[in-house]
Amino acid sequence: MTASVSRSLLPLAGGITGVLVFGLAYACGAPPFGKERGEIKAAAVCGTLGSSSGSADALREVLPDKSTYVFDDAITDARTDDMDFSYETSCFVDGDGKQLVVATVEMLQYDNADDWRKDVVEELVPASSVKPFVAADMAVASREIAALYVPCVRRGLGRHLSVVVQLKEPGKGDDEELRQGLITLAQNTALFAHQRAKCDAPSKVTQ
């Protein structure tokens, strides 16, 4: 009698195992449940991110897998001449309806670069999370953000471009891979802005 009951339970156990495997595959996004990653085409990347091919490669490194990516680009305040002291751009990258990256540039002026870092960078991430890298008058980055304080206008108060690229939802890379990808995006963005804003002070940014 006992053996008969055990044999009758075998199909049930097999069914439970099948359900568990099915559920695990679904949760992990394994085939056939996983979404194919959408293509990030250089031509579709925000123009304000600078080098389209370089920025597209960097985005592929830092972005999480999504089936579609949408880019929203705008130069909201273009600097028209040498007497104009305003410049502002934004680029938003969405994936499957979620905001993934925000990249902004704004012409600002602080008494020193430390004030810029405290006012701009530390409003977004803790000071302890970022490490400096060599670029502009100040540059810091982490796995979540890369920001540069870029010289722009020589005369007067010496206005700068505040360049910030923030990753809202990270991809699968390790911390250093994400940090380097964001640095590339921020540097490309800074070089584009420096030229587009008609800056006459050396940017101190290289690719």
Side-chain angles (χ1 to χ4, degrees):
M1 186 62 143
T2 303
S4 175
V5 171
S6 298
R7 283 194 298 272
S8 68
L9 290 175
L10 287 176
L12 178 60
I16 292 172
T17 301
V19 169
L20 290 173
V21 171
F22 181 93
L24 184 60
Y26 180 83
C28 294
F33 309 106
K35 295 180 180 179
E36 283 192 24
R37 182 173 188 173
E39 187 177 358
I40 300 174
K41 297 181 179 179
V45 171
C46 295
T48 55
L49 293 182
S51 169
S52 57
S53 59
S55 292
D57 288 341
L59 286 167
R60 294 185 192 106
E61 291 178 10
V62 303
L63 290 179
D65 290 347
K66 301 293 181 181
S67 59
T68 59
Y69 298 98
V70 177
F71 298 87
D72 183 10
D73 196 23
I75 298 178
T76 50
D77 193 350
R79 187 175 185 224
T80 56
D81 54 46
D82 291 347
M83 299 303 294
D84 186 356
F85 295 118
S86 61
Y87 180 81
E88 189 172 352
T89 70
S90 61
C91 170
F92 300 94
V93 184
D94 291 356
D96 294 345
K98 292 184 177 180
Q99 192 173 84
L100 306 178
V101 169
V102 177
T104 60
V105 180
E106 186 178 5
M107 188 177 287
L108 299 173
Q109 178 56 45
Y110 287 88
D111 290 338
N112 58 68
D114 283 332
D115 289 343
W116 164 80
R117 188 193 71 244
K118 292 173 184 176
D119 196 33
V120 175
V121 180
E122 294 174 22
E123 281 294 306
L124 300 173
V125 295
S128 59
S129 71
V130 296
K131 296 186 297 183
F133 63 98
V134 179
D137 276 355
M138 180 172 283
V140 294
S142 69
R143 71 189 304 273
E144 298 176 8
I145 196 171
L148 298 92
Y149 191 54
V150 183
C152 181
V153 181
R154 286 181 187 271
R155 63 188 178 82
L157 298 175
R159 286 175 172 80
H160 285 58
L161 297 176
S162 172
V163 180
V164 179
V165 178
Q166 187 178 14
L167 183 62
K168 297 295 192 72
E169 185 179 332
K172 298 175 182 176
D174 61 30
D175 287 359
E176 189 57 28
E177 289 172 334
L178 293 174
R179 182 176 182 271
Q180 288 301 322
L182 290 175
I183 287 174
T184 297
L185 289 170
Q187 289 178 322
N188 288 348
T189 300
L191 289 171
F192 172 87
H194 192 266
Q195 181 178 19
R196 182 66 177 77
K198 303 178 179 67
C199 297
D200 58 7
S203 70
K204 304 179 187 178
V205 178
T206 58
Q207 285 180 311

